[in-house]
Amino acid sequence: MGKGKHKAEIEAIRRAGGYLGGVCNVTSQGHRLRGSAGIPDLYVQLTRRPWLHAFWVEVKVGRDKLSPAQVEFMQREVSAGGTVVVG
């Protein structure tokens, strides 16, 4: 996976969230933190009407696929009533 493309996509999504009146918290880092396996790249909080929603975003570029830890995180989040977007 091209790290440059991945970072560019994350930045584009972060800017779009700002345009919609929200906050995008980037959770991806250059290295894995202890206990962070499976956590998506962004947590987006749209706080302006009519949006008023929060969700996770996992960015995939090229042939990149979800890891088992990512699938597990998404299943837990959805079962708890959350939303996860992969793209």
Side-chain angles (χ1 to χ4, degrees), residues 26-55:
V26 178
T27 59
S28 67
Q29 301 185 9
H31 59 283
R32 181 174 289 169
L33 297 176
R34 186 174 179 185
S36 67
I39 295 176
D41 297 309
L42 295 157
Y43 185 65
V44 181
Q45 297 165 306
L46 301 178
T47 56
R48 239 191 251 164
R49 293 190 186 277
W51 312 108
L52 300 178
H53 191 69
F55 55 95

PDB file of all heavy atoms in Angstrom, residues 26-55:
ATOM      1  N   VAL A  26      -7.979  12.036  13.796  1.00  0.00           N
ATOM      2  CA  VAL A  26      -7.144  11.047  13.113  1.00  0.00           C
ATOM      3  C   VAL A  26      -6.574  10.112  14.172  1.00  0.00           C
ATOM      4  O   VAL A  26      -5.900  10.545  15.098  1.00  0.00           O
ATOM      5  CB  VAL A  26      -6.011  11.729  12.321  1.00  0.00           C
ATOM      6  CG1 VAL A  26      -5.124  10.690  11.652  1.00  0.00           C
ATOM      7  CG2 VAL A  26      -6.589  12.689  11.292  1.00  0.00           C
ATOM      8  N   THR A  27      -6.871   8.830  14.026  1.00  0.00           N
ATOM      9  CA  THR A  27      -6.395   7.846  14.998  1.00  0.00           C
ATOM     10  C   THR A  27      -5.242   7.010  14.449  1.00  0.00           C
ATOM     11  O   THR A  27      -4.595   6.303  15.203  1.00  0.00           O
ATOM     12  CB  THR A  27      -7.532   6.913  15.449  1.00  0.00           C
ATOM     13  OG1 THR A  27      -8.053   6.246  14.301  1.00  0.00           O
ATOM     14  CG2 THR A  27      -8.635   7.693  16.135  1.00  0.00           C
ATOM     15  N   SER A  28      -5.024   7.067  13.128  1.00  0.00           N
ATOM     16  CA  SER A  28      -3.923   6.291  12.554  1.00  0.00           C
ATOM     17  C   SER A  28      -2.605   7.005  12.819  1.00  0.00           C
ATOM     18  O   SER A  28      -2.548   8.224  12.872  1.00  0.00           O
ATOM     19  CB  SER A  28      -4.124   6.097  11.053  1.00  0.00           C
ATOM     20  OG  SER A  28      -4.026   7.325  10.385  1.00  0.00           O
ATOM     21  N   GLN A  29      -1.566   6.212  13.020  1.00  0.00           N
ATOM     22  CA  GLN A  29      -0.242   6.750  13.284  1.00  0.00           C
ATOM     23  C   GLN A  29       0.772   5.937  12.517  1.00  0.00           C
ATOM     24  O   GLN A  29       0.459   4.881  11.993  1.00  0.00           O
ATOM     25  CB  GLN A  29       0.048   6.705  14.783  1.00  0.00           C
ATOM     26  CG  GLN A  29      -0.961   7.503  15.568  1.00  0.00           C
ATOM     27  CD  GLN A  29      -0.614   7.578  17.040  1.00  0.00           C
ATOM     28  OE1 GLN A  29       0.453   7.170  17.447  1.00  0.00           O
ATOM     29  NE2 GLN A  29      -1.508   8.110  17.825  1.00  0.00           N
ATOM     30  N   GLY A  30       1.973   6.430  12.468  1.00  0.00           N
ATOM     31  CA  GLY A  30       3.023   5.738  11.729  1.00  0.00           C
ATOM     32  C   GLY A  30       3.423   4.416  12.354  1.00  0.00           C
ATOM     33  O   GLY A  30       4.042   3.593  11.716  1.00  0.00           O
ATOM     34  N   HIS A  31       3.042   4.204  13.599  1.00  0.00           N
ATOM     35  CA  HIS A  31       3.386   2.963  14.291  1.00  0.00           C
ATOM     36  C   HIS A  31       2.171   2.502  15.105  1.00  0.00           C
ATOM     37  O   HIS A  31       1.309   3.285  15.435  1.00  0.00           O
ATOM     38  CB  HIS A  31       4.577   3.192  15.217  1.00  0.00           C
ATOM     39  CG  HIS A  31       4.318   4.248  16.248  1.00  0.00           C
ATOM     40  ND1 HIS A  31       4.360   5.588  15.950  1.00  0.00           N
ATOM     41  CD2 HIS A  31       3.981   4.173  17.555  1.00  0.00           C
ATOM     42  CE1 HIS A  31       4.070   6.288  17.041  1.00  0.00           C
ATOM     43  NE2 HIS A  31       3.843   5.455  18.030  1.00  0.00           N
ATOM     44  N   ARG A  32       2.123   1.241  15.378  1.00  0.00           N
ATOM     45  CA  ARG A  32       0.998   0.686  16.119  1.00  0.00           C
ATOM     46  C   ARG A  32       1.190   0.915  17.613  1.00  0.00           C
ATOM     47  O   ARG A  32       2.238   0.638  18.169  1.00  0.00           O
ATOM     48  CB  ARG A  32       0.869  -0.808  15.860  1.00  0.00           C
ATOM     49  CG  ARG A  32      -0.322  -1.412  16.620  1.00  0.00           C
ATOM     50  CD  ARG A  32      -0.544  -2.833  16.265  1.00  0.00           C
ATOM     51  NE  ARG A  32      -1.072  -2.851  14.915  1.00  0.00           N
ATOM     52  CZ  ARG A  32      -1.185  -3.953  14.190  1.00  0.00           C
ATOM     53  NH1 ARG A  32      -0.793  -5.090  14.673  1.00  0.00           N
ATOM     54  NH2 ARG A  32      -1.675  -3.901  12.984  1.00  0.00           N
ATOM     55  N   LEU A  33       0.153   1.442  18.237  1.00  0.00           N
ATOM     56  CA  LEU A  33       0.178   1.633  19.683  1.00  0.00           C
ATOM     57  C   LEU A  33      -0.355   0.389  20.375  1.00  0.00           C
ATOM     58  O   LEU A  33      -1.208  -0.319  19.834  1.00  0.00           O
ATOM     59  CB  LEU A  33      -0.684   2.838  20.074  1.00  0.00           C
ATOM     60  CG  LEU A  33      -0.231   4.185  19.541  1.00  0.00           C
ATOM     61  CD1 LEU A  33      -1.237   5.258  19.920  1.00  0.00           C
ATOM     62  CD2 LEU A  33       1.132   4.535  20.090  1.00  0.00           C
ATOM     63  N   ARG A  34       0.105   0.146  21.541  1.00  0.00           N
ATOM     64  CA  ARG A  34      -0.346  -1.015  22.307  1.00  0.00           C
ATOM     65  C   ARG A  34      -1.856  -0.955  22.511  1.00  0.00           C
ATOM     66  O   ARG A  34      -2.406   0.059  22.938  1.00  0.00           O
ATOM     67  CB  ARG A  34       0.357  -1.007  23.650  1.00  0.00           C
ATOM     68  CG  ARG A  34       0.104  -2.204  24.471  1.00  0.00           C
ATOM     69  CD  ARG A  34       0.957  -2.129  25.699  1.00  0.00           C
ATOM     70  NE  ARG A  34       0.714  -3.263  26.544  1.00  0.00           N
ATOM     71  CZ  ARG A  34       1.239  -3.402  27.714  1.00  0.00           C
ATOM     72  NH1 ARG A  34       2.045  -2.472  28.192  1.00  0.00           N
ATOM     73  NH2 ARG A  34       0.985  -4.454  28.428  1.00  0.00           N
ATOM     74  N   GLY A  35      -2.539  -2.035  22.184  1.00  0.00           N
ATOM     75  CA  GLY A  35      -3.987  -2.111  22.376  1.00  0.00           C
ATOM     76  C   GLY A  35      -4.805  -1.406  21.314  1.00  0.00           C
ATOM     77  O   GLY A  35      -6.013  -1.287  21.443  1.00  0.00           O
ATOM     78  N   SER A  36      -4.165  -0.947  20.241  1.00  0.00           N
ATOM     79  CA  SER A  36      -4.905  -0.185  19.234  1.00  0.00           C
ATOM     80  C   SER A  36      -5.219  -0.985  17.977  1.00  0.00           C
ATOM     81  O   SER A  36      -5.768  -0.438  17.026  1.00  0.00           O
ATOM     82  CB  SER A  36      -4.118   1.069  18.845  1.00  0.00           C
ATOM     83  OG  SER A  36      -2.926   0.705  18.169  1.00  0.00           O
ATOM     84  N   ALA A  37      -4.888  -2.251  17.940  1.00  0.00           N
ATOM     85  CA  ALA A  37      -5.132  -3.055  16.745  1.00  0.00           C
ATOM     86  C   ALA A  37      -6.613  -3.047  16.387  1.00  0.00           C
ATOM     87  O   ALA A  37      -7.471  -3.251  17.240  1.00  0.00           O
ATOM     88  CB  ALA A  37      -4.661  -4.485  16.966  1.00  0.00           C
ATOM     89  N   GLY A  38      -6.900  -2.752  15.138  1.00  0.00           N
ATOM     90  CA  GLY A  38      -8.274  -2.781  14.649  1.00  0.00           C
ATOM     91  C   GLY A  38      -8.982  -1.450  14.670  1.00  0.00           C
ATOM     92  O   GLY A  38     -10.037  -1.295  14.053  1.00  0.00           O
ATOM     93  N   ILE A  39      -8.445  -0.457  15.363  1.00  0.00           N
ATOM     94  CA  ILE A  39      -9.121   0.835  15.436  1.00  0.00           C
ATOM     95  C   ILE A  39      -9.029   1.525  14.075  1.00  0.00           C
ATOM     96  O   ILE A  39      -7.947   1.639  13.501  1.00  0.00           O
ATOM     97  CB  ILE A  39      -8.511   1.731  16.535  1.00  0.00           C
ATOM     98  CG1 ILE A  39      -8.770   1.089  17.898  1.00  0.00           C
ATOM     99  CG2 ILE A  39      -9.087   3.137  16.485  1.00  0.00           C
ATOM    100  CD1 ILE A  39      -8.145   1.828  19.051  1.00  0.00           C
ATOM    101  N   PRO A  40     -10.159   2.014  13.528  1.00  0.00           N
ATOM    102  CA  PRO A  40     -10.151   2.689  12.230  1.00  0.00           C
ATOM    103  C   PRO A  40      -9.292   3.956  12.234  1.00  0.00           C
ATOM    104  O   PRO A  40      -8.906   4.480  13.283  1.00  0.00           O
ATOM    105  CB  PRO A  40     -11.626   3.022  12.003  1.00  0.00           C
ATOM    106  CG  PRO A  40     -12.362   1.978  12.780  1.00  0.00           C
ATOM    107  CD  PRO A  40     -11.514   1.788  14.012  1.00  0.00           C
ATOM    108  N   ASP A  41      -9.034   4.476  11.042  1.00  0.00           N
ATOM    109  CA  ASP A  41      -8.141   5.614  10.851  1.00  0.00           C
ATOM    110  C   ASP A  41      -8.690   6.943  11.371  1.00  0.00           C
ATOM    111  O   ASP A  41      -7.927   7.804  11.783  1.00  0.00           O
ATOM    112  CB  ASP A  41      -7.821   5.780   9.364  1.00  0.00           C
ATOM    113  CG  ASP A  41      -7.081   4.586   8.807  1.00  0.00           C
ATOM    114  OD1 ASP A  41      -6.073   4.179   9.410  1.00  0.00           O
ATOM    115  OD2 ASP A  41      -7.522   4.047   7.773  1.00  0.00           O
ATOM    116  N   LEU A  42      -9.997   7.123  11.318  1.00  0.00           N
ATOM    117  CA  LEU A  42     -10.608   8.398  11.688  1.00  0.00           C
ATOM    118  C   LEU A  42     -11.856   8.189  12.538  1.00  0.00           C
ATOM    119  O   LEU A  42     -12.583   7.201  12.351  1.00  0.00           O
ATOM    120  CB  LEU A  42     -11.054   9.170  10.442  1.00  0.00           C
ATOM    121  CG  LEU A  42      -9.980   9.651   9.485  1.00  0.00           C
ATOM    122  CD1 LEU A  42     -10.570   9.871   8.110  1.00  0.00           C
ATOM    123  CD2 LEU A  42      -9.376  10.930  10.003  1.00  0.00           C
ATOM    124  N   TYR A  43     -12.097   9.129  13.432  1.00  0.00           N
ATOM    125  CA  TYR A  43     -13.370   9.188  14.145  1.00  0.00           C
ATOM    126  C   TYR A  43     -13.957  10.555  13.810  1.00  0.00           C
ATOM    127  O   TYR A  43     -13.367  11.583  14.137  1.00  0.00           O
ATOM    128  CB  TYR A  43     -13.187   9.028  15.652  1.00  0.00           C
ATOM    129  CG  TYR A  43     -14.500   8.969  16.394  1.00  0.00           C
ATOM    130  CD1 TYR A  43     -15.371   7.903  16.192  1.00  0.00           C
ATOM    131  CD2 TYR A  43     -14.880   9.973  17.267  1.00  0.00           C
ATOM    132  CE1 TYR A  43     -16.582   7.833  16.860  1.00  0.00           C
ATOM    133  CE2 TYR A  43     -16.086   9.909  17.935  1.00  0.00           C
ATOM    134  CZ  TYR A  43     -16.925   8.838  17.727  1.00  0.00           C
ATOM    135  OH  TYR A  43     -18.139   8.778  18.378  1.00  0.00           O
ATOM    136  N   VAL A  44     -15.078  10.559  13.117  1.00  0.00           N
ATOM    137  CA  VAL A  44     -15.689  11.790  12.611  1.00  0.00           C
ATOM    138  C   VAL A  44     -16.905  12.139  13.458  1.00  0.00           C
ATOM    139  O   VAL A  44     -17.779  11.296  13.677  1.00  0.00           O
ATOM    140  CB  VAL A  44     -16.115  11.611  11.131  1.00  0.00           C
ATOM    141  CG1 VAL A  44     -16.735  12.889  10.589  1.00  0.00           C
ATOM    142  CG2 VAL A  44     -14.934  11.172  10.282  1.00  0.00           C
ATOM    143  N   GLN A  45     -16.951  13.393  13.907  1.00  0.00           N
ATOM    144  CA  GLN A  45     -18.095  13.893  14.672  1.00  0.00           C
ATOM    145  C   GLN A  45     -18.672  15.083  13.917  1.00  0.00           C
ATOM    146  O   GLN A  45     -18.059  16.143  13.853  1.00  0.00           O
ATOM    147  CB  GLN A  45     -17.661  14.317  16.071  1.00  0.00           C
ATOM    148  CG  GLN A  45     -17.127  13.172  16.890  1.00  0.00           C
ATOM    149  CD  GLN A  45     -16.389  13.658  18.112  1.00  0.00           C
ATOM    150  OE1 GLN A  45     -15.474  14.460  18.008  1.00  0.00           O
ATOM    151  NE2 GLN A  45     -16.789  13.171  19.273  1.00  0.00           N
ATOM    152  N   LEU A  46     -19.827  14.873  13.304  1.00  0.00           N
ATOM    153  CA  LEU A  46     -20.511  15.952  12.594  1.00  0.00           C
ATOM    154  C   LEU A  46     -21.508  16.570  13.568  1.00  0.00           C
ATOM    155  O   LEU A  46     -22.435  15.904  14.012  1.00  0.00           O
ATOM    156  CB  LEU A  46     -21.211  15.415  11.348  1.00  0.00           C
ATOM    157  CG  LEU A  46     -20.283  14.736  10.336  1.00  0.00           C
ATOM    158  CD1 LEU A  46     -21.068  14.192   9.162  1.00  0.00           C
ATOM    159  CD2 LEU A  46     -19.200  15.695   9.857  1.00  0.00           C
ATOM    160  N   THR A  47     -21.286  17.825  13.900  1.00  0.00           N
ATOM    161  CA  THR A  47     -22.052  18.447  14.977  1.00  0.00           C
ATOM    162  C   THR A  47     -23.011  19.537  14.505  1.00  0.00           C
ATOM    163  O   THR A  47     -23.713  20.113  15.315  1.00  0.00           O
ATOM    164  CB  THR A  47     -21.085  19.052  16.010  1.00  0.00           C
ATOM    165  OG1 THR A  47     -20.209  19.963  15.345  1.00  0.00           O
ATOM    166  CG2 THR A  47     -20.253  17.965  16.673  1.00  0.00           C
ATOM    167  N   ARG A  48     -23.035  19.815  13.213  1.00  0.00           N
ATOM    168  CA  ARG A  48     -23.935  20.835  12.681  1.00  0.00           C
ATOM    169  C   ARG A  48     -25.162  20.195  12.073  1.00  0.00           C
ATOM    170  O   ARG A  48     -25.065  19.193  11.393  1.00  0.00           O
ATOM    171  CB  ARG A  48     -23.219  21.634  11.590  1.00  0.00           C
ATOM    172  CG  ARG A  48     -23.152  23.105  11.909  1.00  0.00           C
ATOM    173  CD  ARG A  48     -22.680  23.884  10.713  1.00  0.00           C
ATOM    174  NE  ARG A  48     -21.345  24.365  10.986  1.00  0.00           N
ATOM    175  CZ  ARG A  48     -20.518  24.809  10.065  1.00  0.00           C
ATOM    176  NH1 ARG A  48     -20.863  24.817   8.809  1.00  0.00           N
ATOM    177  NH2 ARG A  48     -19.342  25.238  10.405  1.00  0.00           N
ATOM    178  N   ARG A  49     -26.303  20.749  12.333  1.00  0.00           N
ATOM    179  CA  ARG A  49     -27.530  20.239  11.709  1.00  0.00           C
ATOM    180  C   ARG A  49     -27.426  20.355  10.211  1.00  0.00           C
ATOM    181  O   ARG A  49     -26.849  21.306   9.735  1.00  0.00           O
ATOM    182  CB  ARG A  49     -28.745  21.013  12.222  1.00  0.00           C
ATOM    183  CG  ARG A  49     -29.005  20.754  13.669  1.00  0.00           C
ATOM    184  CD  ARG A  49     -30.351  21.333  14.100  1.00  0.00           C
ATOM    185  NE  ARG A  49     -30.519  21.197  15.513  1.00  0.00           N
ATOM    186  CZ  ARG A  49     -30.953  20.104  16.117  1.00  0.00           C
ATOM    187  NH1 ARG A  49     -31.234  19.049  15.413  1.00  0.00           N
ATOM    188  NH2 ARG A  49     -31.087  20.058  17.413  1.00  0.00           N
ATOM    189  N   PRO A  50     -27.932  19.428   9.431  1.00  0.00           N
ATOM    190  CA  PRO A  50     -28.776  18.294   9.797  1.00  0.00           C
ATOM    191  C   PRO A  50     -27.984  17.024  10.103  1.00  0.00           C
ATOM    192  O   PRO A  50     -28.571  15.964  10.259  1.00  0.00           O
ATOM    193  CB  PRO A  50     -29.624  18.083   8.540  1.00  0.00           C
ATOM    194  CG  PRO A  50     -28.678  18.421   7.427  1.00  0.00           C
ATOM    195  CD  PRO A  50     -27.824  19.546   7.967  1.00  0.00           C
ATOM    196  N   TRP A  51     -26.646  17.111  10.173  1.00  0.00           N
ATOM    197  CA  TRP A  51     -25.832  15.907  10.293  1.00  0.00           C
ATOM    198  C   TRP A  51     -25.930  15.260  11.673  1.00  0.00           C
ATOM    199  O   TRP A  51     -26.436  14.151  11.803  1.00  0.00           O
ATOM    200  CB  TRP A  51     -24.379  16.228   9.949  1.00  0.00           C
ATOM    201  CG  TRP A  51     -24.261  17.005   8.686  1.00  0.00           C
ATOM    202  CD1 TRP A  51     -23.924  18.324   8.581  1.00  0.00           C
ATOM    203  CD2 TRP A  51     -24.533  16.562   7.365  1.00  0.00           C
ATOM    204  NE1 TRP A  51     -23.953  18.716   7.270  1.00  0.00           N
ATOM    205  CE2 TRP A  51     -24.327  17.655   6.506  1.00  0.00           C
ATOM    206  CE3 TRP A  51     -24.932  15.364   6.818  1.00  0.00           C
ATOM    207  CZ2 TRP A  51     -24.493  17.565   5.135  1.00  0.00           C
ATOM    208  CZ3 TRP A  51     -25.099  15.276   5.451  1.00  0.00           C
ATOM    209  CH2 TRP A  51     -24.885  16.359   4.638  1.00  0.00           C
ATOM    210  N   LEU A  52     -25.421  15.892  12.707  1.00  0.00           N
ATOM    211  CA  LEU A  52     -25.490  15.379  14.083  1.00  0.00           C
ATOM    212  C   LEU A  52     -25.257  13.870  14.175  1.00  0.00           C
ATOM    213  O   LEU A  52     -26.120  13.109  14.600  1.00  0.00           O
ATOM    214  CB  LEU A  52     -26.837  15.738  14.710  1.00  0.00           C
ATOM    215  CG  LEU A  52     -27.148  17.229  14.806  1.00  0.00           C
ATOM    216  CD1 LEU A  52     -28.531  17.436  15.387  1.00  0.00           C
ATOM    217  CD2 LEU A  52     -26.109  17.965  15.625  1.00  0.00           C
ATOM    218  N   HIS A  53     -24.089  13.465  13.784  1.00  0.00           N
ATOM    219  CA  HIS A  53     -23.794  12.039  13.782  1.00  0.00           C
ATOM    220  C   HIS A  53     -22.290  11.847  14.005  1.00  0.00           C
ATOM    221  O   HIS A  53     -21.494  12.703  13.673  1.00  0.00           O
ATOM    222  CB  HIS A  53     -24.205  11.420  12.441  1.00  0.00           C
ATOM    223  CG  HIS A  53     -24.182   9.932  12.432  1.00  0.00           C
ATOM    224  ND1 HIS A  53     -25.070   9.171  13.148  1.00  0.00           N
ATOM    225  CD2 HIS A  53     -23.372   9.061  11.800  1.00  0.00           C
ATOM    226  CE1 HIS A  53     -24.803   7.884  12.949  1.00  0.00           C
ATOM    227  NE2 HIS A  53     -23.782   7.802  12.136  1.00  0.00           N
ATOM    228  N   ALA A  54     -21.920  10.714  14.556  1.00  0.00           N
ATOM    229  CA  ALA A  54     -20.514  10.357  14.726  1.00  0.00           C
ATOM    230  C   ALA A  54     -20.304   8.952  14.165  1.00  0.00           C
ATOM    231  O   ALA A  54     -21.179   8.093  14.285  1.00  0.00           O
ATOM    232  CB  ALA A  54     -20.125  10.405  16.201  1.00  0.00           C
ATOM    233  N   PHE A  55     -19.151   8.757  13.538  1.00  0.00           N
ATOM    234  CA  PHE A  55     -18.866   7.452  12.950  1.00  0.00           C
ATOM    235  C   PHE A  55     -17.369   7.287  12.748  1.00  0.00           C
ATOM    236  O   PHE A  55     -16.607   8.253  12.757  1.00  0.00           O
ATOM    237  CB  PHE A  55     -19.603   7.268  11.623  1.00  0.00           C
ATOM    238  CG  PHE A  55     -19.332   8.362  10.617  1.00  0.00           C
ATOM    239  CD1 PHE A  55     -18.351   8.220   9.653  1.00  0.00           C
ATOM    240  CD2 PHE A  55     -20.076   9.534  10.641  1.00  0.00           C
ATOM    241  CE1 PHE A  55     -18.105   9.220   8.736  1.00  0.00           C
ATOM    242  CE2 PHE A  55     -19.839  10.538   9.728  1.00  0.00           C
ATOM    243  CZ  PHE A  55     -18.853  10.388   8.768  1.00  0.00           C
TER     244      PHE A  55
END
